[in-house]
Amino acid sequence: MQVFARYAFVAAEAPPKQSALLLEGPWPAEAAAPNRWSLDEAIDARHAWIDERAAEWAERLGRAETAPASGSTAESGEVTFAYLNALALRYYLVRLLRVVAFFRDAPGLAADEPIELFAARGDDEDYVDLLGQLAAERQAEFHVRWQTSPTVEPSRARRLRPWRRWAAQADDLFDPTPLAEQGQPRIVICGNPHVLDPVCRVLLDRGCQVWWLYEHFAVRSWWRWRREGVKQLVCDRRAGRADRFSDGGAADGLAVQGVDLGPVVERWLARQAAHLGGRQSRLVAQIDEHFRAVQPTGLLLDEDATPMKRAAVALARQHGARSAVVQHGAPCGPFGFSPLAADCFCAWGASTREQLLRWGVPAERIHLTGWPRFEERLVRWRRRRAGRKASPRILLLATMPPRDGRPDTATFHLTRQTHERMLDMACAAAAKVAGARLVIKLHPRCGDDAAFQQVVARHPGLQAEVTRSDDLDRLTAESDCVLSCASTSGIEAALMGAPVVQLLPAGSGDVLPAERWGMLGSARDEQELDRLVAQALARGWKSPADVEEVLGNPIRAAVEKVADVILNAGLNGGPAADDCAATGAADR
């Protein structure tokens, strides 16, 4: 069998009858054949164990993040590189485990068939290691053909403007951070102000001292809260300590199907530490310095999966403060939500709670609070709805296009081929509706719309447009049907009463149980989508009260409930006063 790290290494004269495997990306249509496989297509929701093992191993490697022993100083607690980078590590482990999973069930491959790998030095040593072990286990010959990697123009790193650091230093000079007052709740907030600003206001009204934690000075946040006495804790003012993560750490006990992934993962951790270790070391040192000054009793975040947020959670715990995550996105995959690093999670409602329980989050750490922004959004959407267009309009909320080098979870199965097929399905379904116009709303982080324009061009009779508009309320309110690929915006639209159809990749699992989220159903093929679009157009919009269970009666003081969770946790050192199960029953 010939194995290619990527399609660029496939020679034009490659024997068409020889078995071949592509590790990253799809085979072009002109090169596809029954004896040619790609991991992107072969590994799907049937291999959900890959996602579970990746999460389990990443959690195990990061467990050195422990609270210091009683009577010791916070400095004796350890924050490891693997703990901070758990999210990237989970996706990297998916990348490795896909190879093992394929060869476990390799179709039509004789056990002793020679394996020939085409790979590039500096990029694919992990594949060399894995396939070497698999060949040895199968008692098969193994050869590596080193290739020249295609020249790829490196992406330009975002250059931080020096004035941000100067502004932070000037703010400190003229308005020093107030000292923590004992006996008064002291809350640090870290995350998206759009999600957490309302909670900040409630905490101030309750007499709390509040700080915002940022890596860089945030001008809008400074302007918004400066008159309220809320200061920023900025983490790029000084150089800080840069030697904490000079090594990524050990990776023992990562064996599956007779293959030891430990050496491969250790090499990846070391490579990542060499690239990110200095910056993340300084981040940890400066957050620790800030927490020593303010002595927080609670930490409020919008997620706990990325390095800065995980550093804040670990250091808050070491300083005796408890942490809570406020839900701000759809729980369409476990990697951003579970395992939970913070002490508790403020969930929108029963649907989120059920999803988190399925992923193993302990029930006592989940608190049903509702969606803090729901009431504000509801008023705005109703106003926008009055200006809808007369002809049928179908809105597609596009997801981020997949990347070959970092496969998504096996359960979601978002690949270049499944992504393109979903776009084709949406265009074909809209073309069948008389007079319909399809509006494709790009994801905010999508940098190139070429893939979308190409698919639209294949449907010349379709009225369609691709837009980057950030006025999501207007686009949704003007629509008669919304197509959503496991999108938070799609759930928001359903909660507002819009008829929403969930569009999922072929081969995906039950990522978001559609009916539990107020959507009409999930479509993975053309027939399902045609039926659900017709159902959506026939149903039309309805009262948001009909899908209220998703949020657990969210209009009733969701922001106050979030404040209750962080204050009770921070002051009493335990879970919020209202038990999560009782809260869920009351809200339902």
Side-chain angles (χ1 to χ4, degrees), residues 294-314:
V294 305
Q295 301 172 40
T297 56
L299 171 68
L300 200 62
L301 315 107
D302 60 348
E303 49 92 356
D304 62 358
T306 53
M308 181 172 179
K309 310 293 177 62
R310 292 177 74 81
V313 167

Side-chain angles (χ1 to χ4, degrees), residues 147-162:
Q147 307 292 300
T148 301
S149 189
T151 302
V152 178
E153 186 175 342
S155 58
R156 294 183 179 180
R158 182 184 174 189
R159 185 177 179 182
L160 181 66
R161 294 180 174 85

